[in-house]
Amino acid sequence: MTTPFSPYQPLADALLAHLPDDGDGAHDLAHLVRVWRNVQRIAAEEGGDRELLLAATLLHDGVHVAKNDPRRDRASWLAAEQARNILDTLGWAASHIDAVAHAIESHSFSANITPQTLEARVLQDADRLDALGALGVARCFYTAGTMGSALYDVTDPQAHARALDDQRFTLDHFETKLLTLSEGFQTATGRQLAAQRHARLLAFREALLEEIGEPPVE
């Protein structure tokens, strides 16, 4: 029977056993399955060691830090350190542990670390794809709901006369982050997939603005 991580399901089972379920619906098992699917699509064209990629995929969000937590820019470092410990207990070679840890640490938008290996570039692209398109919209509003953010500023939805504040207004997050993501993809395959999903973000924003009586973005 085909499983989400076939043909590496035994490795997946060993790694997932170390990860707690913290109830974060934006970084849950479904997210890991989607990122792995993106990894496979990109790696089919770009290459990369699949076992290293699977380990990095499954462990990249191993330490959850909320978006509004002051430690947010250290989340990927914390996950990388946790991954080192997990892989060491499984008897992985030091060089492979280092490769996985680097991919995890550099995947994060907040960390702002340039990926230095093919596997790190593939993981970063695969993870960022899940922040774009219809899934990006869904995850954005899910996370905003957990933070108690409003959908938008009713007096100035497009922030014409105020500073953007995506901690308070979910729509602002499109400008502060989501609509910038497609510019930084590392692989040709990732850039192609990102362009498609970026267009879906733009279409959603245009529809939302129309429905709340706002003029389109110029």
Side-chain angles (χ1 to χ4, degrees):
M1 181 180 66
T2 302
T3 59
F5 304 107
S6 294
Y8 307 104
Q9 192 64 45
L11 174 59
D13 291 340
L15 296 173
L16 291 171
H18 291 269
L19 299 181
D21 180 6
D22 60 9
D24 177 15
H27 299 89
D28 55 4
L29 179 59
H31 169 65
L32 299 181
V33 171
R34 293 192 303 269
V35 173
W36 176 239
R37 186 177 297 120
N38 294 339
V39 163
Q40 291 177 300
R41 292 181 70 181
I42 296 170
E45 301 295 331
E46 307 288 340
D49 185 299
R50 300 304 196 273
E51 290 194 353
L52 296 182
L53 283 166
L54 179 61
T57 297
L58 296 184
L59 301 177
H60 79 278
D61 284 330
V63 177
H64 173 60
V65 179
K67 295 290 186 182
N68 56 354
D69 191 302
R71 301 172 302 154
R72 181 61 192 170
D73 61 355
R74 299 186 67 241
S76 64
W77 180 85
L78 293 170
E81 290 303 296
Q82 180 190 66
R84 287 183 181 278
N85 293 332
I86 292 171
L87 295 176
D88 184 60
T89 65
L90 296 177
W92 277 46
S95 60
H96 289 177
I97 294 175
D98 288 344
V100 171
H102 170 66
I104 292 172
E105 190 170 5
S106 64
H107 90 275
S108 169
F109 182 87
S110 302
N112 195 28
I113 297 172
T114 301
Q116 300 297 322
T117 65
L118 175 57
E119 288 78 17
R121 290 190 289 272
V122 170
L123 177 66
Q124 187 182 99
D125 282 4
D127 185 60
R128 291 188 182 184
L129 278 175
D130 208 47
L132 293 173
L135 283 164
V137 172
R139 294 177 70 216
C140 175
F141 281 91
Y142 170 89
T143 300
T146 65
M147 293 167 52
S149 303
L151 296 181
Y152 55 88
D153 181 355
V154 68
T155 62
D156 188 4
Q158 297 188 61
H160 292 307
R162 63 174 176 83
L164 291 165
D165 185 355
D166 61 0
Q167 298 290 311
R168 294 180 62 198
F169 307 114
T170 312
L171 185 59
D172 286 15
H173 195 59
F174 281 66
E175 294 296 333
T176 61
K177 181 178 178 181
L178 299 187
L179 291 173
T180 71
L181 289 177
S182 65
E183 301 169 1
F185 274 67
Q186 301 289 324
T187 67
T189 305
R191 286 190 290 273
Q192 180 181 10
L193 295 171
Q196 298 168 0
R197 298 195 184 195
H198 180 80
R200 294 170 190 161
L201 285 179
L202 291 174
F204 175 86
R205 182 181 63 173
E206 180 179 351
L208 178 62
L209 291 174
E210 189 275 330
E211 291 180 12
I212 65 175
E214 281 287 297
V217 178
E218 297 180 358

